[in-house]
Amino acid sequence: MGLNIFAIKLHKMKRFFLFISFFFFFQNIFSQIAIGEWRDHLSYTYGINVEYAGQRIYNLTKGGLFYLDLNSYSLEKLTKVTGLSDVTATTIKYSSSQDLLIVGYANGNIDLISTNTIYNLPDIKHKQMAADKTIYNIYVENSTAYICTGFGIVVVNLERKEVKDTYIIGPAGTYLAVYDFDSDGTYYYAATQKGIYKALTSDPGLVDFSKWTRIETIPNYSNKFNSIKAYNGALYAALDLSNWNEDTVYKYDGSIWLKYKDDLIKNVQRIEVSSNKLFIVEPYRIYSLTETGQDRYYYAYTNGLSYPKDVVMGPSDRIWIADAIAGLVYKYYSQETWYSTFPNGPISTNAFAIASGGDNVVAVAGGRNISWGNLWSYGQFYKFENEQWSNFTKTNIPDLIKMPDICSVVINPDNPNQYYVGSYGGGIVEMNGGQFVNYFNEENSTLQNISSTVGEPYIRIGGMNFDKESNLWVTNCGVDNSISVRKKDGTWKGFNLKNYINAGELA
């Protein structure tokens, strides 16, 4: 598989999200696979974790796991279809002493991946217990892995590939979600939903909850901490508050906990130590500190869309970033040009509706809530043709910025290259041959705007379909003209059904 790579430039962005995997099969489109076989079409742009593993850089995304081979610079995907034991991986960690990549899943399952072998460790998954089994993080020390879960810490012997111990560290031995784990050589530290706990590394009885004590000298000591790292004789801990922009990093120098960098660091995704450098990962930027005290910020770097989630320093002083928009991002430490790579696929894990025609498949990424209200997701859709996915966002179709929650799609049966996507709040976009053709709203069609506020269009498209004469029929929710038709000649006609449909609702 060739490398999908492009240079990306500095910029900013305010929000981002989302991502899911979907599977589907169409015999007439996927003629190269047999009837009854499956293959996956996953989105690899939403990076979660990145790990340097010898000649491989592994990147875990919401859609799946892939690695970049540093010898050939080719990309390889790892999925359940290709050998993983499960789906919904939540974290990865590499053990250099055992040459193993550890993959943790949302249901507690664990895979141990060597170069050509995958060994499954399902003990947590199969354990009968009323607890959150999500694996949030993994700390490796020599041949031992400390698995951070929703109920405590599971200790795994990597040489024997077996569970050694389980630490239930909550008060009176209750379950306690652990989000990160580290050691300074004297103590183990666990960042949990209710503060930071520590225990002596030399204590052989850590299965006893009483050996774990909560640190109460740190501000907000009973709140959630999502990350903790020992670095250069100090401890760094990230307070994770529920409100945006309120996170704080505290530093312990051996005598007192103080805010690190005052209030400059917020919205902390995680703290990492790699190649003798401390990294604090935030949306739009990464802060780096070296043992000699040199520090720097890496600001938003991907063509207006950047959201780093994890970072590692690889060979030749290259920084590798798991980015929630650009997949796997990297650069040389001393240079300014950034690059991004990920396997071809849909840009998002969201897939609300799908249509096929000819050799094309088009999927849309919108949605509605249970009350048929808006989610206000970005307008985007994806097209699969000739074994490649093309992604359409406001970057290549500016009118999509006016089209939240694209929930419907229809392909013209007489011309499979022509298709329409409908927004639950923004009208309709016409595409032909992979190119934008037109944007339909109340100004150039019989579609009606439910909003009376000038400059705030709110045209809710419920569904679309073609009749046998190639006329496009559209439902327009919450307005008098609940049905409109775009005739084959391009003219529009609206049908006022106010007296027949309750409140004009028609989906």
Side-chain angles (χ1 to χ4, degrees), residues 427-428 440-442 445-449 459 461 474 476 484 492:
I428 297 172
F440 296 108
N441 55 24
E442 75 279 12
S445 72
T446 55
L447 300 175
Q448 291 184 337
N449 188 347
I459 304 169
I461 304 302
V474 180
N476 189 180
S484 285
W492 284 85

Side-chain angles (χ1 to χ4, degrees), residues 134-434:
T134 304
I135 297 177
Y136 291 104
N137 221 324
I138 302 169
Y139 170 72
V140 173
E141 186 177 73
N142 301 319
S143 62
T144 302
Y146 296 85
I147 312 296
C148 303
T149 76
F151 58 86
I153 304 154
V154 176
V155 185
V156 173
N157 184 316
L158 296 177
E159 286 184 337
R160 299 172 63 91
K161 295 181 175 61
E162 65 182 19
V163 172
K164 177 183 177 181
D165 281 314
T166 300
Y167 304 155
I168 308 297
I169 68 174
T174 54
Y175 295 149
L176 184 63
V178 178
Y179 302 111
D180 199 8
F181 193 89
D182 204 15
S183 173
D184 62 4
T186 302
Y187 289 97
Y188 289 126
Y189 299 93
T192 81
Q193 69 185 102
K194 294 183 179 179
I196 298 172
Y197 284 71
K198 71 175 184 177
L200 286 168
T201 59
S202 59
D203 195 324
L206 296 185
V207 294
D208 182 355
F209 72 88
S210 67
K211 300 301 181 73
W212 295 83
T213 58
R214 184 165 64 181
I215 297 175
E216 299 189 350
T217 55
I218 188 171
N220 297 286
Y221 68 85
S222 63
N223 288 324
K224 176 182 175 182
F225 285 79
N226 67 7
S227 198
I228 187 163
K229 288 292 179 287
Y231 177 72
N232 202 22
L235 279 177
Y236 296 82
L239 174 68
D240 185 9
L241 297 178
S242 57
N243 292 331
W244 176 261
N245 221 35
E246 289 188 355
D247 296 350
T248 302
V249 173
Y250 293 106
K251 177 183 177 181
Y252 181 68
D253 62 3
S255 60
I256 189 171
W257 289 93
L258 294 173
K259 281 187 178 182
Y260 183 61
K261 306 293 289 186
D262 296 321
D263 290 320
L264 295 178
I265 295 176
K266 300 180 182 294
N267 306 315
V268 179
Q269 304 298 297
R270 64 193 299 132
I271 305 173
E272 284 295 342
V273 174
S274 182
S275 296
N276 299 319
K277 295 179 178 62
L278 177 81
F279 293 94
I280 299 175
V281 182
E282 303 175 87
Y284 326 128
R285 69 178 186 176
I286 295 174
Y287 169 76
S288 169
L289 174 69
T290 68
E291 286 184 311
T292 59
Q294 296 176 323
D295 65 348
R296 66 183 300 185
Y297 285 98
Y298 299 99
Y299 286 93
Y301 41 78
T302 64
N303 197 23
L305 303 172
S306 62
Y307 203 117
K309 301 289 285 187
D310 191 16
V311 62
V312 68
M313 183 72 82
S316 302
D317 275 343
R318 272 184 291 185
I319 300 171
W320 299 88
I321 297 171
D323 188 90
I325 296 174
L328 179 61
V329 176
Y330 63 97
K331 71 181 287 291
Y332 288 99
Y333 187 72
S334 59
Q335 297 181 0
E336 296 304 321
T337 302
W338 293 91
Y339 300 91
S340 169
T341 183
F342 48 84
N344 181 258
I347 197 172
S348 168
T349 52
N350 290 348
F352 186 82
I354 193 167
S356 65
D359 292 330
N360 301 319
V361 172
V362 182
V364 296
R368 294 180 285 259
N369 62 29
I370 58 175
S371 301
W372 282 70
N374 283 87
L375 299 176
W376 301 112
S377 61
Y378 286 128
Q380 54 189 17
F381 56 94
Y382 350 105
K383 178 185 178 184
F384 185 71
E385 183 181 20
N386 297 326
E387 297 300 306
Q388 291 289 313
W389 285 96
S390 299
N391 296 289
F392 300 94
T393 69
K394 65 180 181 179
T395 301
N396 47 17
I397 302 180
D399 280 314
L400 290 182
I401 199 171
K402 300 176 285 189
M403 294 187 65
D405 301 326
I406 297 179
C407 297
S408 56
V409 55
V410 64
I411 295 176
N412 186 345
D414 291 339
N415 177 15
N417 289 317
Q418 182 190 44
Y419 57 96
Y420 297 80
V421 295
S423 162
Y424 199 67
I428 297 172
V429 157
E430 176 189 359
M431 302 287 294
N432 200 332

Side-chain angles (χ1 to χ4, degrees), residues 434-466:
Q435 301 297 315
F436 170 80
V437 176
N438 214 334
Y439 168 58
F440 296 108
N441 55 24
E442 75 279 12
E443 296 178 355
N444 59 357
S445 72
T446 55
L447 300 175
Q448 291 184 337
N449 188 347
I450 198 173
S451 174
S452 60
T453 304
V454 176
E456 293 186 11
Y458 189 43
I459 304 169
R460 298 191 299 176
I461 304 302
M464 300 182 292
N465 213 339
F466 281 92

Side-chain angles (χ1 to χ4, degrees), residues 17-80:
F17 46 94
L18 295 100
F19 205 105
I20 119 180
S21 67
F22 56 88
F23 303 93
F24 58 92
F25 169 81
F26 295 101
Q27 179 185 357
N28 63 322
I29 297 169
F30 305 143
S31 58
Q32 72 280 17
I33 62 175
I35 295 175
E37 289 185 356
W38 290 85
R39 71 168 171 173
D40 50 63
H41 293 264
L42 307 176
S43 176
Y44 293 93
T45 57
Y46 196 117
I48 300 172
N49 284 146
V50 60
E51 284 290 302
Y52 167 59
Q55 292 304 307
R56 293 180 177 180
I57 300 292
Y58 286 94
N59 196 38
L60 176 64
T61 73
K62 279 193 175 182
L65 175 65
F66 72 91
Y67 68 85
L68 172 66
D69 188 308
L70 294 180
N71 291 316
S72 63
Y73 266 74
S74 61
L75 295 174
E76 294 293 336
K77 298 181 289 186
L78 296 173
T79 69
K80 193 169 184 180

